[in-house]
Amino acid sequence: MLNVGTSGITPNTPKNIMFGAGTIHKNLKYVTDTGWNFEESLVAATNGGSKFTITPEIYKIPLDGANVNVQGLTKKVGETAVMEINFAEITKDLVKASIFGEDGTSEDTTYDVILPKEDIVEGDYWDNIAFVGKTVEGANIIVIMENALCTSGFSTEGKNKTEGVAAMTFECHAKLDGNHNKLPYQIYLPKTV
């Protein structure tokens, strides 16, 4: 018997608690025959975790005589979906995404060279960026933000006796020919019985 007076714990509680740092994926997709492409879409290791924030923008309609919030007079007028990630690895793909870079050439063939571009182009948007976390029981919690663009630039700091971390921020964007009143993101939560 549950002691509702002292705890909100139920048999579903372990199914609803996200535990651990999770993983970050580029172009995560579900294929009917094989399932999620978790392994192929993995971006890089993280250090310091990741954070996703989805924030509706609301407007409260001000009316004379209404001195408090009134149900029905609040309107959603936009939203943002942002993922902040602390990457422990500095890969060619991540650097190119962060500075809108392109491949260059080097006389030293043991290096890849990344050069800046003048403007953002279609290929700079990732089809999606995804966070995959786990519940205490090991079920996946998946957040996918489509048309993701890195908006933070590239920054990392080298320190004695510790590894450098590249903090990067990706933002979700609506397609030019899509719906401009809502962002294309999805949140997958495991069903509880």
Side-chain angles (χ1 to χ4, degrees):
M1 176 176 216
L2 294 176
N3 188 348
V4 180
T6 61
S7 171
I9 299 171
T10 70
N12 282 331
T13 297
K15 298 174 186 173
N16 295 324
I17 295 175
M18 191 167 67
F19 189 77
T23 53
I24 302 299
H25 300 261
K26 175 184 179 183
N27 303 336
L28 181 68
K29 61 185 172 189
Y30 182 81
V31 180
T32 305
D33 296 339
T34 57
W36 292 98
N37 67 333
F38 292 127
E39 194 169 315
E40 299 84 16
S41 62
L42 189 64
V43 174
T46 59
N47 182 347
S50 305
K51 176 182 175 183
F52 54 88
T53 307
I54 298 170
T55 309
E57 181 184 351
I58 60 170
Y59 176 71
K60 298 175 183 178
I61 299 169
L63 296 177
D64 292 341
N67 297 320
V68 296
N69 292 335
V70 178
Q71 183 178 353
L73 295 179
T74 301
K75 179 83 174 142
K76 180 180 173 185
V77 295
E79 62 188 338
T80 58
V82 177
M83 199 173 292
E84 300 170 75
I85 307 154
N86 296 305
F87 286 110
E89 297 180 62
I90 298 175
T91 66
K92 179 180 174 182
D93 198 29
L94 288 173
V95 173
K96 284 173 71 173
S98 67
I99 65 167
F100 312 123
E102 62 186 354
D103 291 329
T105 57
S106 171
E107 294 164 357
D108 184 343
T109 58
T110 61
Y111 286 90
D112 286 321
V113 176
I114 301 166
L115 302 173
K117 291 186 286 195
E118 288 186 30
D119 207 350
I120 299 169
V121 297
E122 179 68 25
D124 292 325
Y125 292 87
W126 290 7
D127 289 344
N128 71 52
I129 190 165
F131 167 85
V132 179
K134 297 274 188 195
T135 66
V136 170
E137 290 191 342
N140 291 323
I141 296 174
I142 303 168
V143 178
I144 299 175
M145 297 191 319
E146 296 180 19
N147 312 314
L149 187 69
C150 182
T151 59
S152 61
F154 180 73
S155 174
T156 189
E157 185 176 356
K159 291 183 180 179
N160 193 31
K161 298 184 181 182
T162 189
E163 64 285 335
V165 174
M168 299 175 71
T169 301
F170 287 82
E171 294 187 42
C172 182
H173 291 75
K175 277 275 195 202
L176 189 58
D177 61 353
N179 185 336
H180 299 157
N181 294 312
K182 66 177 187 171
L183 289 174
Y185 61 80
Q186 303 92 46
I187 302 171
Y188 294 83
L189 299 173
K191 290 184 178 180
T192 56
V193 245

